Every structure is written in C-alpha cells, then in structure tokens.
Amino acid sequence: MRTPLVAGNWKMHLTPQEGASWIAAIAADLGATGIPDGVEAWVFPAFPALPAVIEAATTALPSLRVGAQNLHAQPHGAFTGEVSASMLTAIHAQGVLVGHSERRAGGETDDGVRAKLAAAEAAGLAAVVCVGEDLPTREIGAAEAWVSIQIRAAFAGRAPVNPALMAVAYEPIWAIGTGRTATAADAAAMHATIRRTLADIGQPADALRILYGGSVKPDNARDLIQAGDVDGLLVGGASLDPISFANILRAAAA
Ligand code: PGA
C-alpha cells in the first residue's frame, strides 16, 4: 500500500514572512487534527523561505515536511549561486525536487538529474524526480517513450532506492500552469508505463510513489488521485493558497 504524497511547489513565490503566514493559515484551517490521516504532505519553498517555513511548521504543523526546489550535485566548491545537499540538511530541510521541467528548460540535463539524485540520497534527503513530455512530443505519440528515457537516465547505474526517500512526479509540460490537465486516463496510462520502466531497471516499482502534476486544483484532485497508479500530486499554483492546498490534502485523503 503506497501512502498518497501531496506536495506543493511554490516556485519563485513567497518570502520567509509569507511562507510563515502560509503555515499559520493552513494549520488553522486543518485544525487540531493537522494533516489528514493517510496522506504525506510536503511543501517546497524557495531557498530564502526554507528556514522560516521549517521553523513555523515545526511548531504549528509538525507532520508537514519541507524541502528545497533544487540542489547542486557537489558537496561544496566554487559554484556561485548554488546550494549543496549538506547545506539543506543543516537547516533541517528533509527533501528536494530534482529535474523540474522549468529547470530542465534552463539547461538541466539527464546527467545532472542523475548526479543530483545521488547527492540527495547520500545526504539522506528525500527526492522527488520530475519527468514529463512537451506538447509536440505528445502529439507525435512519443510521450511514453520520452518519459521512459528520462526515467532510465535518472536511475541509470543506481542500486534499488529506498522508496520512503524517493518519488517520481509525472508532469506533462503542456499541463503546467496552463489550466490544462491530463485526463485521469492519460495520467493512469503514463503512470503505468513509468512503473513498468522502474521495474525493468530493477527499482522497487511497486513501492515507489508516482505523483501527477500539472494544473492540479481542489476540484480535479480527487479524480486524478483515483486514477490507476497515481499515488499523489505535485501542485504548483494552487499550493500558494493555503486553503486550496488544505482542500487538495482532504481530497487526497478522502
Ligand atoms: P501547476 O504547476 O500546478 O501550477 O501547473 C505544477 C508544477 O510545476 O509542479
């Protein structure tokens, strides 16, 4: 049984103060019971907001996990503007997104993704590795082949990962921030392909969670999470509003 994982990717939004207010607001909305039973919840703030969000969550919503949106594969060095895994663990971040399509569009390669996943694993950070095709790739019928290649590249040469510390997020690029969502059937088909690919390469496919992302909102969250092989949701825009994120958590738990 895979525990549903729902994650908010705040992207380049929310200052430390706004992040702490977000925590206060969602904690108030969820009430004494906190994160709904049976759901694992994460937020991924921008780097400057991480300490404030981690501190606010520790007191107001301790079961919420907090991670970064990126890391560098090297432990330290002359890498201006970069942040290492050990810097993240030093501030008690628990995880990291790797290979988001917005970073791949900025030049992040499959090799870079693989190296970052290894760095996260070595530091004990949970990682969510993001994959997904663009619209032309889907239109020529090559989406599943494309995503399988991304999965094989991300996990190449890896011993079986710990499924508690790794998840895959399928985010079709054409659905991110566009209001256009994959149908539950499309998501289910792609997630089944990803799971088969993970099994083929010796990863613990039955235990690994595969999240869907791309214009997830409170009103489509339930349909998506009920689709076959969908084990969670990665939410961008709708996660910036704490009440809408709380409602997505409720939908995932229902
Ligand atoms: P969106 O973003 O929910 O705003 O489409 C999802 C993501 O990029 O993780």
Side-chain angles (χ1 to χ4, degrees):
M1 193 50 201
R2 299 179 291 263
T3 304
L5 191 167
V6 178
N9 171 13
W10 290 356
K11 308 192 180 184
M12 200 170 71
H13 296 285
L14 305 190
T15 63
Q17 294 80 0
E18 290 165 343
S21 302
W22 188 99
I23 296 288
I26 194 170
D29 190 68
L30 291 170
T33 49
I35 307 286
D37 275 351
V39 180
E40 184 177 317
W42 284 80
V43 285
F44 294 92
F47 288 130
L50 279 170
V53 171
I54 290 166
E55 191 189 328
T58 301
T59 45
L61 198 57
S63 54
L64 179 71
R65 304 197 192 180
V66 184
Q69 298 171 15
N70 182 37
L71 83 171
H72 195 276
Q74 295 300 320
H76 46 74
F79 301 108
T80 303
E82 299 289 346
V83 172
S84 70
S86 62
M87 291 174 179
L88 294 175
T89 55
I91 60 163
H92 309 293
Q94 293 176 277
V96 65
L97 297 177
V98 176
H100 190 281
S101 61
E102 288 155 11
R103 296 201 53 80
R104 293 183 191 255
E108 187 142 305
T109 63
D110 281 332
D111 284 346
V113 168
R114 177 165 59 240
K116 287 179 179 195
L117 286 176
E121 184 177 54
L125 286 169
V128 178
V129 56
C130 305
V131 296
E133 81 288 354
D134 62 12
L135 193 55
T137 304
R138 174 151 289 261
E139 283 174 347
I140 62 166
E144 297 194 10
W146 176 268
V147 168
S148 294
I149 289 168
Q150 287 183 318
I151 294 285
R152 287 174 187 278
F155 289 89
R158 295 292 294 279
V161 298
N162 176 354
L165 292 179
M166 179 75 72
V168 172
Y170 167 57
E171 298 202 300
I173 294 169
W174 46 270
I176 294 178
T178 58
R180 197 173 154 189
T181 316
T183 64
D186 283 344
M190 182 63 86
H191 284 222
T193 297
I194 292 172
R195 205 174 303 283
R196 261 196 318 277
T197 305
L198 289 165
D200 270 1
I201 57 176
Q203 292 297 335
D206 286 338
L208 281 167
R209 285 164 300 177
I210 306 174
L211 321 182
Y212 169 81
S215 297
V216 175
K217 306 275 184 276
D219 59 2
N220 61 20
R222 186 85 196 124
D223 272 359
L224 287 163
I225 200 130
Q226 284 189 319
D229 280 304
V230 176
D231 308 311
L233 303 165
L234 181 54
V235 187
S239 74
L240 296 175
D241 173 359
I243 308 308
S244 111
F245 192 67
N247 285 333
I248 293 171
L249 293 178
R250 291 183 183 102

